[in-house]
Amino acid sequence: MPDDQRAAFSLAARQAVDALHSGEFAEDLEVFIARHGTDGEHAAAWAAVDPAATIAALKAGIPGQRVATYGGLRGWFLKTFFGNVAYDGSADGPILLNRAALPRSVPSIANTFAHEIAHRAGLRHPHSSGDLATARCEPPYVIGTLVEKHAAGPDWRPDSDDCHLFRSRPAVAMTAQGL
């Protein structure tokens, strides 16, 4: 990883781990699935997702994770034409972050870590090659967004890349009352 980003990456990793272990994250995920996981194009990706089992799989997938970066022409090409900021790499290799998508905020990097760990836990976003608006409402993206929300704290606001279901509501905490 870039030397000037080491501290940010370490903090983002801690924030992702803390969020995935928090009761608030568990509640937010459960509420999202109950309210939004059964209707719409994204519903099929949520069909077999049990919140408690998913959180257990995410937590189990954290120990031993490593992160590396890639860049150059490949990184620029993937970021420019496909919006790629990272991918989960191989099952036994590091999560790979695209240097062309850095620097970013620490909560945004925590989002990416959680998104890639969700892939390693078996979660997918099947619409990513065609309908990104739908993919953003599928498990890895929503999990990443919830982690970013927790990492950013009370100043969090959904951005234009987040699931439209987050943006369709006032920017308030996503708890059982606000999601």
Side-chain angles (χ1 to χ4, degrees):
M1 72 187 66
D3 287 338
D4 63 339
Q5 292 276 297
R6 286 188 191 278
F9 280 36
S10 293
L11 180 56
R14 282 193 303 273
Q15 288 180 343
V17 169
D18 289 349
L20 292 171
H21 282 84
S22 75
E24 187 180 341
F25 173 84
E27 180 182 349
D28 284 351
L29 183 60
E30 188 173 310
V31 168
F32 184 93
I33 293 169
R35 291 194 177 172
H36 306 296
T38 59
D39 295 324
E41 296 292 322
H42 58 278
W46 290 100
V49 176
D50 171 75
T54 298
I55 290 169
L58 293 168
K59 289 177 184 178
I62 293 170
Q65 290 298 329
R66 296 173 293 130
V67 177
T69 62
Y70 69 96
L73 184 57
R74 177 176 173 246
W76 174 85
F77 180 83
L78 291 173
K79 171 70 171 106
T80 301
F81 295 103
F82 300 101
N84 178 269
V85 297
Y87 66 97
D88 60 338
S90 65
D92 58 348
I95 291 170
L96 299 166
L97 276 79
N98 187 344
R99 285 191 304 274
L102 296 173
R104 297 190 345 245
S105 71
V106 170
S108 177
I109 295 169
N111 173 331
T112 301
F113 289 165
H115 176 111
E116 300 307 334
I117 289 168
H119 282 306
R120 290 190 172 188
L123 300 171
R124 300 287 174 244
H125 44 81
H127 288 90
S128 63
S129 63
D131 181 4
L132 257 176
T134 298
R136 300 273 189 222
C137 294
E138 293 172 337
Y141 281 108
V142 169
I143 287 166
T145 297
L146 291 175
V147 164
E148 183 171 351
K149 175 224 176 220
H150 290 270
D155 296 330
W156 180 80
R157 299 291 180 266
D159 66 31
S160 62
D161 287 338
D162 290 334
C163 173
H164 64 89
L165 297 170
F166 292 120
R167 293 189 309 275
S168 64
R169 302 200 183 296
V172 295
M174 289 184 298
T175 63
Q177 296 79 31
L179 180 61

